[in-house]
Amino acid sequence: MAHPDTPHLDAFHADMAPTDAVPPTLPALVALALRPLPLAPLQPALALMLRRIGQCHPRLYGRLGEHASKRFGIDPTDLPFRFVLEPRPQRPSVRAVRSLPKGLDAQIRGPLSALIGMAEGSLDGDALFFSRMLVVEGDVEAVLALRNAIDDARLDLGALLFGGLGPLGRVLTEVLRRHRQPPADPLGARPPSGARPWN
Amino acid sequence: MELICPAGTRASLEAAVEAGADAIYCGFCDETNARNFPGLNFTREDMRAGIAFAHRHGVKVMVAINTFARAGALALWESAIDDAVEAGADALILADVATLDYAARRHPQQRLHVSVQAGAANPDAIRFYVESFGAQRVVLPRVLSVPEIAAIMRETTCETEVFVFGGLCVMEEGRCSLSSYATGKSPNMQGVCSPASHVAYKEQRGEVVSTLGGFTINRFAKDEPAGYPTLCKGRFSTPQGSGYIFEDPVSLDAATMLPALRAAGVTALKIEGRQRGRAYIAQVVRAFRRSLAALDAGMPAPAAGLAAMSEGQASTVGAYRKTWR
């Protein structure tokens, strides 16, 4: 989808939260409850979301360039499963797995809300890295290309997941948007323990 | 004072416009600009559309073509200049005298700014760029105290632009070879300081070890705020001890210096970070827009709350208050 010439600035910046706020982690009990669930039912939703990203944001592949053929391991540290992403333009795939396989080109680790916030552009990847909430290993160039491509695409994961469900989809999208919003209170921010005067 | 904001993508450009930028600077996705990072920057089509978008909102766009041209490959830099002019750039930000000369001769009506990469840090250097190429603005290198900036302003009619937030270099802008030494790729000629292709991170028992071109740069303890994997901000072991030799991993934050910079006669304030996401751009631009509004109203600057955006989650006023020399 081309960038709209007529902008809806308020709309696409409405959920940009201050990044001083720490992305919430999933409660351990929720993660525990998710652990025995089968992963197979996740696949259709993941495939749908990836297909829609490809359809709605073809320019994303221009930014990914040669890195579109890489295999990325996405590891939400507060979930009992991970994802293997292969963003190839022709046959993109994302699979939920219990543990990441060997031989991946790159791995990105962090709390689910941080990964979603970065994917949707409400959180800055470098800031997450500085705060140590985000860990990157492997092909850093590929990760940067992926991050920049996604940041430019302005993904709305909720809309991509539930967009085909009409009014119900809009409700679900709004519920998801509210749930993933970091606390607005800056007092909830991580104390700048490492902050120190330089001079 | 104008607020000049970075953009590495169309989405970032639009975020900067919405957040209150007076002007945006950006570059093409090749080695002609000093932020030649993977997945970043503007195609020719992006540039035309981005400039058109900004102009519709009354915001200017400056195109950074601020690396030094390679011998035998000047055409790449010349075509970038031609295409930026054709796209409607309000100004070109140039560092190399070859590119300045080409732009001044080929596009005499085009507004030219001297990049920070040129390292023009005194009135004579600035006068050279003004008289030789008709440069109308110089981006001052981050080596000057506020009194030094004021002294320069007394001796030039050229507009000045200074950085007020973001990543810091080792005060050798346009001349630094640290990254070239470690990777064989030059920030000044290929636009890649600490290229991602040469960076590796390894997590070991909660510690993160960063390497550049095989050299260990840093080791961050568990929960210790991290910095970029640049040699200038690496920790080194020396006979005098271990630690940061060149500079700490901190970001510039000169919000408290705005009154002094205005009094010095500075024309424009620049935010670093074309490589950052649009969340950074929106938040930092908004914070400085609020600070400028408070300054205009004679009110104290509001707390910006930008610590989390800063490298190492720490900030400095750098050379502006030169107590560290």
Side-chain angles (χ1 to χ4, degrees):
Chain A
M1 185 174 68
H3 285 272
D5 271 342
T6 308
H8 301 285
L9 296 170
D10 288 338
F12 77 73
H13 286 295
D15 59 354
M16 259 183 196
T19 43
D20 274 6
V22 177
T25 51
L26 217 57
L29 273 178
V30 175
L32 202 64
L34 289 172
R35 193 182 298 270
L37 296 181
L39 300 182
L42 270 178
Q43 293 304 146
L46 292 170
L48 174 71
M49 190 163 67
L50 201 60
R51 195 164 60 244
R52 287 199 170 141
I53 289 173
Q55 289 165 350
C56 297
H57 306 282
R59 286 159 36 89
L60 188 147
Y61 290 109
R63 290 203 176 275
L64 264 176
E66 63 184 291
H67 304 294
S69 61
K70 304 273 171 75
R71 296 172 76 219
F72 298 87
I74 314 290
D75 183 354
T77 49
D78 46 355
L79 280 184
F81 47 88
R82 336 259 173 259
F83 304 96
V84 176
L85 170 67
E86 296 179 70
R88 302 163 301 203
Q90 301 308 322
R91 291 181 54 219
S93 83
V94 59
R95 290 180 293 119
V97 294
R98 293 290 175 197
S99 61
L100 290 175
K102 289 198 163 98
L104 294 170
D105 291 292
Q107 294 184 33
I108 308 165
R109 263 197 310 282
L112 178 67
S113 61
L115 296 173
I116 291 177
M118 191 169 61
E120 295 195 316
S122 61
L123 296 174
D124 177 73
D126 287 14
L128 289 169
F129 171 76
F130 297 150
S131 73
R132 304 290 301 279
M133 298 208 75
L134 193 72
V135 176
V136 171
E137 287 188 293
D139 187 337
V140 177
E141 192 172 41
V143 172
L144 271 190
L146 180 67
R147 191 276 305 264
N148 291 331
I150 288 175
D151 196 66
D152 189 40
R154 291 185 282 221
L155 301 182
D156 182 338
L157 298 182
L160 287 165
L161 260 178
F162 306 124
L165 300 180
L168 176 63
R170 283 194 287 279
V171 171
L172 289 172
T173 301
E174 180 59 20
V175 168
L176 184 65
R177 191 183 72 79
R178 287 186 182 172
H179 174 73
R180 67 182 182 243
Q181 191 91 334
D185 179 7
L187 294 176
R190 168 184 285 228
S193 56
R196 58 209 180 279
W198 187 51
N199 52 23
Chain B
M1 291 184 288
E2 297 170 26
L3 189 56
I4 316 296
C5 306
T9 62
R10 284 267 304 279
S12 294
L13 181 145
E14 294 175 12
V17 167
E18 193 271 341
D22 293 312
I24 287 157
Y25 66 104
C26 50
F28 291 120
C29 37
D30 57 35
E31 60 192 298
T32 62
N33 93 81
R35 285 286 183 268
N36 182 20
F37 293 172
L40 204 66
N41 296 314
F42 289 63
T43 63
R44 268 41 176 183
E45 181 195 346
D46 278 337
M47 190 63 80
R48 282 191 293 274
I51 290 174
F53 176 90
H55 285 175
R56 281 199 298 279
H57 292 82
V59 175
K60 292 178 177 161
V61 176
M62 305 164 175
V63 179
I65 305 169
N66 59 343
T67 48
F68 293 83
R70 269 183 293 115
L74 193 60
L76 181 66
W77 280 260
E78 290 175 347
S79 69
I81 289 169
D82 294 340
D83 292 345
V85 173
E86 187 270 330
D90 295 283
L92 306 182
I93 306 172
L94 308 172
D96 188 341
V97 290
T99 57
L100 278 156
D101 177 62
Y102 176 81
R105 283 189 292 105
R106 186 68 180 260
H107 305 286
Q109 303 305 314
Q110 181 65 49
R111 186 179 176 86
L112 303 181
H113 293 184
V114 180
S115 168
V116 68
Q117 285 282 96
N122 58 64
D124 286 351
I126 295 169
R127 189 176 303 116
F128 168 77
Y129 288 109
V130 171
E131 292 177 355
S132 303
F133 312 114
Q136 289 169 279
R137 181 177 297 184
V138 59
V139 185
L140 293 176
R142 289 161 278 193
V143 297
L144 300 165
S145 67
V146 174
E148 286 169 335
I149 292 171
I152 287 173
M153 295 305 299
R154 285 193 289 274
E155 292 190 47
T156 182
T157 55
C158 187
E159 297 175 2
T160 54
E161 185 172 306
V162 300
F163 280 92
V164 289
F165 192 87
L168 277 172
C169 281
V170 284
M171 319 296 179
E172 276 293 308
E173 286 159 308
R175 302 176 178 91
C176 179
S177 294
L178 282 173
S179 178
S180 312
Y181 179 78
T183 69
K185 289 194 170 184
S186 164
N188 308 312
M189 299 182 73
Q190 289 150 322
V192 280
C193 178
S194 304
S197 54
H198 290 64
V199 172
Y201 298 108
K202 190 76 189 166
E203 195 177 24
Q204 297 171 342
R205 293 181 296 278
E207 288 187 339
V208 167
V209 177
S210 59
T211 60
L212 177 70
F215 295 96
T216 300
I217 298 293
N218 216 329
R219 181 187 295 271
F220 298 103
K222 191 173 186 301
D223 293 331
E224 181 186 11
Y228 286 124
T230 58
L231 269 169
C232 57
K233 291 167 184 170
R235 266 189 275 221
F236 297 87
S237 295
T238 75
Q240 284 74 41
S242 297
Y244 293 106
I245 301 293
F246 300 107
E247 61 180 316
D248 286 23
V250 296
S251 290
L252 176 70
D253 184 355
T256 57
M257 310 300 288
L258 298 187
L261 291 169
R262 184 169 68 173
V266 163
T267 311
L269 308 172
K270 187 166 206 162
I271 294 167
E272 186 275 346
R274 283 189 279 152
Q275 75 283 12
R276 302 292 293 265
R278 56 197 162 93
Y280 164 94
I281 287 168
Q283 193 175 338
V284 176
V285 174
R286 281 203 184 98
F288 273 87
R289 180 48 70 201
R290 282 196 300 270
S291 293
L292 281 172
L295 185 65
D296 288 342
M299 307 284 287
L306 297 175
M309 288 297 177
S310 301
E311 185 175 4
Q313 299 195 315
S315 62
T316 173
V317 293
Y320 292 135
R321 188 183 294 141
K322 215 179 263 186
T323 57
W324 48 272
R325 250 188 189 175

